[in-house]
Amino acid sequence: MNDMDLNEKIRRLILDSNTFLLATHIRPDGDAIGSILAFGLALKKIGKEVTILLPEGIPQNLNNLPGNHTIVKSIKPAEEYDVIACVDASDQERLGELLVGKKIDLQIDHHITNVMFAEINFVDPKAVATCAILAEYLPIWKLQIDDQIATLLLTGILTDSIGFRTSNTSSKALRLAADLMDYGADLPSIYQEALVGRTYQQVNYWGFALQRLQKHGNIAWTTLTLADRKQADYNGNDDADLNTLLSSIAECEVTILFVEQKEKHVKVSWRSKPGIDVSQIAFDFNGGGHFSAAGADIHGELSEVQELVLQKSFASIADQSKSQEIK
Ligand code: AMP
Ligand code: MN
Ligand code: MN
């Protein structure tokens, strides 16, 4: 389908429907929160009834965003909504248990590993963030951007590009961000709140993982356990953005973080320097993501998951380096 047909389909869907249920991925990040709230506010502005589902709430560093009070943690039966739409999720499992097996009418996403699970799939892997897609296309779908929506969209662009420094940062992303500033988004304050500011607990939590940091060749890895979370009094269930810190190790091509989630469930994150693809490794573990930032949720004890993931990662990275030498 070409872009025109796709945009026309989305315009029609919006115009012809009244009640919308919006969802995004579990352990939501800045792009997930920014895009769900921005899409929700934009639909509300034209009189639609919108339910913004975020079962885990909003992480602390994103808690002051416009529309944060309109979220809900539970929903009516999914069939009662005219449209179920989701943002920033590469597969349906990522939407959490409330939407298992439900028909998803529309999805907007930018993951290269997206499995096209919705009726209408607007997926652009070149986009730096789902929020960048919305910044470009909301007006094309006849939805307006105001200062609040611009703030939300810039939050997603800034967080997913880690302040315009991931390798997929494009001049287009910068132009969209500049347009969002013209709509009233305050870049320095979003930068400070969503990206730079840390809580004491968060930094303390990192400390446990940093003590166990290991390196072999050009790969470094470490773990965050449930006991660390408790001892640091960290109340999130994510990596507390430790991945960004790990990826700053200059001599490592790949960093891997293992976060114990609950018994026999480990969240694994990969980060790589340009030239090494970690999305395929994550995909092979039933996860997904981007070329240089990917993740997977894996069943098993921390130590066994760690051993298996390290083995597969070392093998894949060695293969990739070999095929680059041949070229
Ligand atoms: P993270 O390591 O959680 O910051 O995620 C890095 C990228 O991988 C993000 O774009 C995520 O959406 C994606 N990702 C993380 N975990 C999963 C998963 N279990 N399944 C699919 N994609 C994932
Ligand atoms: Mn995301
Ligand atoms: Mn994203």
Side-chain angles (χ1 to χ4, degrees):
M1 192 171 350
N2 65 36
D3 253 20
M4 217 165 87
D5 295 341
L6 193 54
N7 285 321
E8 185 51 34
K9 267 194 160 184
I10 295 173
R11 258 200 304 263
R12 282 257 135 248
L13 184 76
I14 292 172
L15 201 66
D16 296 346
S17 315
N18 286 317
T19 59
F20 291 76
L21 171 62
L22 304 187
T24 187
H25 64 78
I26 53 169
R27 291 186 301 269
D29 52 21
D31 193 26
I33 302 283
S35 54
I36 195 172
L37 291 177
F39 196 28
L41 291 190
L43 288 167
K44 281 182 186 180
K45 265 175 89 96
I46 57 162
K48 305 293 177 182
E49 197 182 305
V50 187
T51 301
I52 299 175
L53 175 64
L54 285 166
E56 299 158 281
I58 298 183
Q60 199 177 344
N61 63 327
L62 303 166
N63 219 355
N64 285 327
L65 288 173
N68 63 340
H69 295 302
T70 65
I71 69 161
V72 300
K73 297 188 174 184
S74 57
I75 48 170
K76 295 186 288 190
E79 296 69 27
E80 293 185 22
Y81 300 90
D82 295 341
V83 172
I84 302 182
C86 68
V87 288
D88 201 41
S90 56
D91 62 61
Q92 193 160 345
E93 245 181 33
R94 294 271 289 155
L95 299 177
E97 53 197 31
L98 290 174
L99 292 176
V100 171
K102 305 297 178 198
K103 183 173 86 132
I104 308 297
D105 300 291
L106 167 67
Q107 69 146 329
I108 302 151
D109 184 42
H110 69 127
H111 291 96
I112 193 155
T113 54
N114 194 294
V115 294
M116 305 291 178
F117 57 90
E119 301 290 308
I120 303 177
N121 300 287
F122 195 105
V123 178
D124 178 6
K126 285 208 202 73
V128 73
T130 299
C131 280
I133 300 177
L134 290 177
E136 185 176 359
Y137 285 92
L138 284 181
I140 294 171
W141 303 334
K142 303 271 185 272
L143 297 172
Q144 287 166 22
I145 297 177
D146 60 13
D147 57 339
Q148 293 197 323
I149 294 170
T151 298
L152 292 162
L153 295 176
L154 191 54
T155 300
I157 292 176
L158 263 187
T159 51
D160 255 25
S161 69
I162 324 180
F164 300 119
R165 64 190 166 92
T166 53
S167 55
N168 60 353
T169 299
S170 57
S171 57
K172 181 173 177 179
L174 288 164
R175 271 186 214 105
L176 288 169
D179 289 344
L180 294 172
M181 290 178 80
D182 288 342
Y183 278 114
D186 179 350
L187 181 118
S189 78
I190 298 172
Y191 211 110
Q192 182 59 34
E193 283 189 30
L195 218 50
V196 176
R198 316 278 184 203
T199 61
Y200 176 80
Q201 281 88 349
Q202 187 178 358
V203 177
N204 196 12
Y205 185 42
W206 290 353
F208 293 90
L210 293 177
Q211 280 171 15
R212 289 191 294 267
L213 183 64
Q214 280 182 271
K215 175 177 169 299
H216 180 79
N218 55 8
I219 304 179
W221 68 92
T222 191
T223 54
L224 276 169
T225 66
L226 285 172
D228 300 337
R229 195 189 290 176
K230 203 162 164 215
Q231 264 191 287
D233 198 22
Y234 179 69
N235 62 8
N237 59 358
D238 55 12
D239 67 301
D241 205 25
L242 177 61
N243 277 302
T244 301
L245 184 68
L246 293 182
S247 68
S248 68
I249 304 172
E251 58 270 69
C252 289
E253 294 291 316
V254 173
T255 55
I256 308 173
L257 177 60
F258 300 87
V259 184
E260 197 177 22
Q261 289 292 320
K262 56 184 179 204
E263 254 184 75
K264 293 203 169 244
H265 173 185
V266 182
K267 168 66 202 300
V268 184
S269 291
W270 290 260
R271 298 291 184 269
S272 67
K273 300 272 160 56
I276 294 188
D277 177 15
V278 286
S279 69
Q280 191 57 44
I281 310 174
F283 193 70
D284 289 345
F285 281 105
N286 232 348
H290 309 287
F291 192 88
S292 287
D297 285 86
I298 304 178
H299 183 79
E301 294 291 352
L302 185 58
S303 58
E304 63 192 36
V305 170
Q306 182 174 327
E307 196 182 321
L308 185 65
V309 165
L310 286 176
Q311 191 194 332
K312 298 270 183 211
S313 302
F314 274 104
S316 165
I317 293 155
D319 274 358
Q320 292 186 45
S321 307
K322 229 183 269 161
S323 67
Q324 275 170 11
E325 276 164 29
I326 293 166
K327 278 180 207 158

